[in-house]
Amino acid sequence: MIDVDLTRAGGATDRYAAAIAELPLTARAWRDPRGVGSSEAGGRRTADAPAAPASSPAALGAERTARVRVVSGASGWLERAGAIQRDSAAQAGHGPDSREPGSATVASAPTPIVIAEPEAIAPGGLSFARAGAAMIVERSRMPELPDAARAAAAAARTVVIEAALPTIGGEEWLRDAIGWARLLAGLLEVESCAHAGPALLASFRGRDGIPVSLIAHPTSGPPRIDAHALGEARVAARVDDAGVEVRVASDLGDLLLAADLASPARRALHRATAGNDDLPDLIHDERIRARLDEE
Amino acid sequence: MSTGVGIIGAGPGAGALHAPTTARGGGRFDVVHVSDSGSGRAQGIADRSGARYSTGADELLADPRVDVVVLCGPPATHAEQALAAVAAGKRGVLCEKPLALTHEDVDAVIAACREAGTALIVGTNHLYDPAWERAKHYLVARGERIRGISVTASLPPNDRYHAAVTEREAAAGPGARIAPDWDDPAVASGVVHRLVTGLLVHDVPLLRDLAPVIERVAFARPVPPIGCALGFVASGVPVQVTAVMVPGGADALWRMRIATEADLLEISFPPPFVHAGSAGVEVRDGEGRVISHPRVADDGYIALWRAFADALDGGAPVEYDEIAADAHYAIELADAAAAAAGERA
């Protein structure tokens, strides 16, 4: 069971409240009565603290309840996440992993943070000190790649990305287009970039030097990302406001893969329980995006 | 009365494409002579049509029953053979792409055909696909600026498509495509050049219609085992072209995506060689509506031969200048891409 703190969720509160309701065996809403970032209790949560949930580590003994804080991805999310990390580090005592299990006063492990649909940010800003807190990043345009697609992409000869970027949110869409290139081709290195007015063309090297090409341009219509992995088997992903569709083509034909119908918020909470850390991927995608801006 | 066709070259372009396609013309065309460079394949194609066969081009060009010539040999022979066909007084030339490999040869062929009144057509079947006309009509009607063009092709060996339209003697099949040494700059440059002039050229007339002036090549790189990825800017429009030839697997993909200010238009071309109808056109407009244009029975190859017939009959003018401009664009793009690929290797 995870306790989900929505005090900093902002505009994402309703979505995560709904996600919590859809995870009755896994999650529940939690609010820190001291307020986030407060050091009044000396940074340590005691077993008899007024708001200590029944499933607190002290109450459950050996069972430890994970606590997750949801942070709105609106402007300033970095600062909010930083404040939570500092508070979390302080609560952890001497360091990010400082724990004293079995005692009545439990030094908490750093609190995982879920960033809800983060706005684009300069990569330099992402180098803030990580006090050991895992960061889950909700990116609704980038669900888990289904196994069949992952297998096909692993054998791809080349990857092609096409992105129609909206006027508002274009940076986030471009970041996610880059994210799709990473999903299909692995970590990227920029080879070249050219701008044609507001549009851009870029080439990259991916995993094992696989060629990756990207074209991105503004649109006044609905935004869309088309991501293709080409090879003996092909992957074609289409991302738009309606969701994500992934197809795999092979010698057997063209298969539309079953969609993950869980909400992005619910998926994010699941990843939080699994101990994922999405920050490296976000940093990678943001750095590539910023690099393309500089070229 | 049918028009006598002489086919120079006896590879798949002749045996699996043009020879069987002429049979769909209701007797308008009749293959009367096939020649090759001595491989012996010309006899096999000729025997099916009751045609003559020979080695080299001279005997075919001298054959009085040959009214029009189809050039299906190596690209390096096209310009010379086109000029020879004009000199031999042939009424028409259907030249497989590319028309020529140098700007000078393009100009020479165009000038000769124009002066002689020779009907000339180049085998870039995507240009003649009925879907392209529909797509162009939509774009012109919408009047929006082109924001980006992307061509994506992933092609398995053509054997499976040859098998759908012809039969061949049981013999050693074509060898596996041998991957070039992409680390060698000269090899990388040469293969990219050939891929542009021999494969990507299918879409050059379409690209030139949309973005007529090549400004610069942003990148050009090989895609192993055999393929290339290009990015270039033409008339202010970014163009991305990726083509890879794979050893097997999924059916052929050839798709052109045209983005305007608000719309996304996709043309999905059918596999090569087969007669499975026109390309499909789908538009997602600025309001989010999806419009799918119906496919029609005629494919680009049938439409190409119909256009050739119209040109021969005087029903449609031969657009020499457009043919020349397409050929020059292809050479310019190939040269620039090859240079970029060679520098990168």
Side-chain angles (χ1 to χ4, degrees), chain A residues 172-201:
Chain A
E172 288 77 14
W173 277 81
L174 177 59
R175 178 197 64 202
D176 289 348
I178 293 165
W180 269 98
R182 172 179 49 76
L183 277 183
L184 297 177
L187 299 180
L188 305 173
E189 291 176 40
V190 176
E191 276 199 336
S192 68
C193 178
H195 292 266
L200 73 87
L201 285 165

Short mmCIF file of all heavy atoms in Angstrom, two decimals, chain A residues 172-201:
data_model
loop_
_atom_site.label_atom_id
_atom_site.label_comp_id
_atom_site.label_asym_id
_atom_site.label_seq_id
_atom_site.Cartn_x
_atom_site.Cartn_y
_atom_site.Cartn_z
N GLU A 172 7.17 20.48 -25.09
CA GLU A 172 6.90 19.19 -24.45
C GLU A 172 6.66 18.11 -25.51
O GLU A 172 7.10 16.97 -25.35
CB GLU A 172 5.70 19.30 -23.51
CG GLU A 172 5.97 20.09 -22.23
CD GLU A 172 5.98 21.59 -22.46
OE1 GLU A 172 5.52 22.05 -23.53
OE2 GLU A 172 6.46 22.32 -21.57
N TRP A 173 5.94 18.48 -26.57
CA TRP A 173 5.71 17.50 -27.63
C TRP A 173 7.03 17.13 -28.31
O TRP A 173 7.27 15.97 -28.62
CB TRP A 173 4.71 18.05 -28.66
CG TRP A 173 3.28 17.86 -28.25
CD1 TRP A 173 2.55 18.63 -27.39
CD2 TRP A 173 2.40 16.80 -28.66
NE1 TRP A 173 1.27 18.12 -27.25
CE2 TRP A 173 1.15 17.00 -28.02
CE3 TRP A 173 2.55 15.71 -29.52
CZ2 TRP A 173 0.06 16.15 -28.21
CZ3 TRP A 173 1.47 14.86 -29.71
CH2 TRP A 173 0.23 15.08 -29.06
N LEU A 174 7.89 18.11 -28.52
CA LEU A 174 9.19 17.79 -29.13
C LEU A 174 10.01 16.90 -28.21
O LEU A 174 10.64 15.93 -28.64
CB LEU A 174 9.96 19.08 -29.45
CG LEU A 174 11.36 18.88 -30.05
CD1 LEU A 174 11.29 18.08 -31.35
CD2 LEU A 174 12.04 20.22 -30.29
N ARG A 175 9.97 17.22 -26.92
CA ARG A 175 10.68 16.38 -25.96
C ARG A 175 10.17 14.94 -26.02
O ARG A 175 10.95 13.98 -25.99
CB ARG A 175 10.48 16.95 -24.55
CG ARG A 175 11.12 16.12 -23.44
CD ARG A 175 10.54 16.51 -22.09
NE ARG A 175 9.13 16.18 -22.03
CZ ARG A 175 8.27 16.75 -21.18
NH1 ARG A 175 8.68 17.66 -20.32
NH2 ARG A 175 7.00 16.39 -21.17
N ASP A 176 8.88 14.77 -26.17
CA ASP A 176 8.32 13.42 -26.22
C ASP A 176 8.59 12.74 -27.56
O ASP A 176 8.71 11.52 -27.63
CB ASP A 176 6.83 13.45 -25.91
CG ASP A 176 6.55 13.78 -24.44
OD1 ASP A 176 7.51 13.74 -23.63
OD2 ASP A 176 5.41 14.08 -24.10
N ALA A 177 8.67 13.53 -28.62
CA ALA A 177 9.08 12.94 -29.90
C ALA A 177 10.49 12.37 -29.78
O ALA A 177 10.78 11.26 -30.25
CB ALA A 177 9.02 13.98 -31.01
N ILE A 178 11.35 13.12 -29.11
CA ILE A 178 12.71 12.63 -28.85
C ILE A 178 12.64 11.40 -27.95
O ILE A 178 13.39 10.43 -28.13
CB ILE A 178 13.55 13.75 -28.21
CG1 ILE A 178 13.76 14.88 -29.21
CG2 ILE A 178 14.89 13.21 -27.69
CD1 ILE A 178 14.25 16.18 -28.59
N GLY A 179 11.73 11.43 -26.99
CA GLY A 179 11.56 10.28 -26.12
C GLY A 179 11.16 9.03 -26.90
O GLY A 179 11.63 7.93 -26.61
N TRP A 180 10.32 9.20 -27.89
CA TRP A 180 9.95 8.05 -28.71
C TRP A 180 11.15 7.54 -29.51
O TRP A 180 11.32 6.33 -29.70
CB TRP A 180 8.78 8.40 -29.64
CG TRP A 180 7.47 8.09 -28.99
CD1 TRP A 180 6.63 8.95 -28.33
CD2 TRP A 180 6.86 6.80 -28.88
NE1 TRP A 180 5.54 8.28 -27.82
CE2 TRP A 180 5.67 6.96 -28.14
CE3 TRP A 180 7.22 5.53 -29.33
CZ2 TRP A 180 4.81 5.88 -27.86
CZ3 TRP A 180 6.38 4.46 -29.05
CH2 TRP A 180 5.19 4.65 -28.32
N ALA A 181 11.97 8.45 -29.99
CA ALA A 181 13.18 8.00 -30.68
C ALA A 181 14.03 7.16 -29.73
O ALA A 181 14.59 6.12 -30.10
CB ALA A 181 13.97 9.19 -31.21
N ARG A 182 14.12 7.60 -28.49
CA ARG A 182 14.88 6.85 -27.49
C ARG A 182 14.24 5.49 -27.19
O ARG A 182 14.92 4.48 -27.07
CB ARG A 182 15.00 7.67 -26.21
CG ARG A 182 15.62 6.92 -25.04
CD ARG A 182 15.73 7.80 -23.80
NE ARG A 182 14.49 8.49 -23.47
CZ ARG A 182 13.43 7.92 -22.91
NH1 ARG A 182 13.47 6.63 -22.60
NH2 ARG A 182 12.34 8.63 -22.65
N LEU A 183 12.94 5.47 -27.11
CA LEU A 183 12.25 4.20 -26.85
C LEU A 183 12.57 3.18 -27.94
O LEU A 183 12.71 1.99 -27.67
CB LEU A 183 10.74 4.41 -26.82
CG LEU A 183 10.10 4.91 -25.53
CD1 LEU A 183 8.58 4.96 -25.71
CD2 LEU A 183 10.46 4.01 -24.35
N LEU A 184 12.63 3.65 -29.17
CA LEU A 184 12.81 2.73 -30.28
C LEU A 184 14.28 2.46 -30.61
O LEU A 184 14.62 1.38 -31.10
CB LEU A 184 12.11 3.27 -31.53
CG LEU A 184 10.58 3.43 -31.43
CD1 LEU A 184 10.02 4.03 -32.70
CD2 LEU A 184 9.92 2.08 -31.15
N ALA A 185 15.14 3.48 -30.38
CA ALA A 185 16.53 3.36 -30.85
C ALA A 185 17.55 3.41 -29.73
O ALA A 185 18.75 3.34 -30.01
CB ALA A 185 16.84 4.46 -31.86
N GLY A 186 17.12 3.57 -28.50
CA GLY A 186 18.07 3.68 -27.41
C GLY A 186 18.58 5.10 -27.24
O GLY A 186 18.11 6.04 -27.89
N LEU A 187 19.55 5.26 -26.36
CA LEU A 187 20.07 6.60 -26.08
C LEU A 187 20.65 7.21 -27.36
O LEU A 187 21.26 6.53 -28.18
CB LEU A 187 21.15 6.52 -25.00
CG LEU A 187 20.65 5.98 -23.65
CD1 LEU A 187 21.80 5.95 -22.65
CD2 LEU A 187 19.51 6.82 -23.11
N LEU A 188 20.46 8.52 -27.48
CA LEU A 188 20.76 9.20 -28.74
C LEU A 188 21.97 10.12 -28.62
O LEU A 188 22.22 10.71 -27.57
CB LEU A 188 19.56 10.06 -29.17
CG LEU A 188 18.21 9.35 -29.29
CD1 LEU A 188 17.11 10.38 -29.55
CD2 LEU A 188 18.24 8.32 -30.40
N GLU A 189 22.69 10.24 -29.72
CA GLU A 189 23.71 11.28 -29.86
C GLU A 189 23.36 12.08 -31.10
O GLU A 189 23.08 11.51 -32.16
CB GLU A 189 25.09 10.66 -30.09
CG GLU A 189 25.67 9.92 -28.91
CD GLU A 189 26.99 9.26 -29.28
OE1 GLU A 189 27.78 9.89 -30.01
OE2 GLU A 189 27.21 8.12 -28.87
N VAL A 190 23.38 13.39 -30.95
CA VAL A 190 23.04 14.24 -32.09
C VAL A 190 24.17 14.21 -33.10
O VAL A 190 25.34 14.39 -32.76
CB VAL A 190 22.80 15.70 -31.63
CG1 VAL A 190 22.53 16.60 -32.83
CG2 VAL A 190 21.65 15.77 -30.64
N GLU A 191 23.81 13.97 -34.36
CA GLU A 191 24.81 14.04 -35.44
C GLU A 191 24.71 15.37 -36.17
O GLU A 191 25.72 15.99 -36.48
CB GLU A 191 24.58 12.91 -36.45
CG GLU A 191 25.20 11.60 -36.06
CD GLU A 191 25.35 10.68 -37.27
OE1 GLU A 191 24.61 10.84 -38.24
OE2 GLU A 191 26.23 9.81 -37.22
N SER A 192 23.50 15.77 -36.50
CA SER A 192 23.35 17.03 -37.22
C SER A 192 21.95 17.56 -36.98
O SER A 192 21.04 16.82 -36.61
CB SER A 192 23.58 16.83 -38.72
OG SER A 192 22.55 16.06 -39.27
N CYS A 193 21.83 18.86 -37.19
CA CYS A 193 20.54 19.51 -37.01
C CYS A 193 20.48 20.70 -37.95
O CYS A 193 21.47 21.43 -38.09
CB CYS A 193 20.34 19.94 -35.57
SG CYS A 193 18.77 20.80 -35.29
N ALA A 194 19.35 20.89 -38.59
CA ALA A 194 19.16 22.05 -39.45
C ALA A 194 17.78 22.61 -39.20
O ALA A 194 16.83 21.87 -38.98
CB ALA A 194 19.32 21.66 -40.92
N HIS A 195 17.70 23.92 -39.22
CA HIS A 195 16.42 24.59 -39.02
C HIS A 195 15.96 25.17 -40.35
O HIS A 195 16.75 25.71 -41.12
CB HIS A 195 16.56 25.69 -37.98
CG HIS A 195 16.82 25.16 -36.61
ND1 HIS A 195 15.81 24.93 -35.70
CD2 HIS A 195 17.96 24.78 -36.00
CE1 HIS A 195 16.32 24.44 -34.59
NE2 HIS A 195 17.63 24.34 -34.74
N ALA A 196 14.68 25.03 -40.62
CA ALA A 196 14.06 25.66 -41.78
C ALA A 196 12.91 26.48 -41.22
O ALA A 196 11.79 25.99 -41.07
CB ALA A 196 13.57 24.61 -42.77
N GLY A 197 13.20 27.73 -40.90
CA GLY A 197 12.20 28.53 -40.21
C GLY A 197 11.92 27.89 -38.86
O GLY A 197 12.83 27.53 -38.13
N PRO A 198 10.64 27.70 -38.56
CA PRO A 198 10.29 27.10 -37.27
C PRO A 198 10.40 25.58 -37.24
O PRO A 198 10.18 24.96 -36.21
CB PRO A 198 8.83 27.52 -37.08
CG PRO A 198 8.31 27.64 -38.47
CD PRO A 198 9.46 28.11 -39.31
N ALA A 199 10.74 24.98 -38.36
CA ALA A 199 10.83 23.52 -38.44
C ALA A 199 12.27 23.08 -38.29
O ALA A 199 13.20 23.87 -38.44
CB ALA A 199 10.28 23.05 -39.79
N LEU A 200 12.44 21.82 -37.99
CA LEU A 200 13.81 21.32 -37.87
C LEU A 200 13.93 19.90 -38.40
O LEU A 200 12.97 19.13 -38.41
CB LEU A 200 14.30 21.41 -36.42
CG LEU A 200 13.80 20.45 -35.37
CD1 LEU A 200 14.63 19.17 -35.34
CD2 LEU A 200 13.89 21.09 -33.99
N LEU A 201 15.14 19.62 -38.85
CA LEU A 201 15.55 18.30 -39.30
C LEU A 201 16.74 17.90 -38.46
O LEU A 201 17.64 18.70 -38.26
CB LEU A 201 16.02 18.33 -40.76
CG LEU A 201 14.98 18.46 -41.86
CD1 LEU A 201 15.67 18.85 -43.16
CD2 LEU A 201 14.24 17.15 -42.03
#
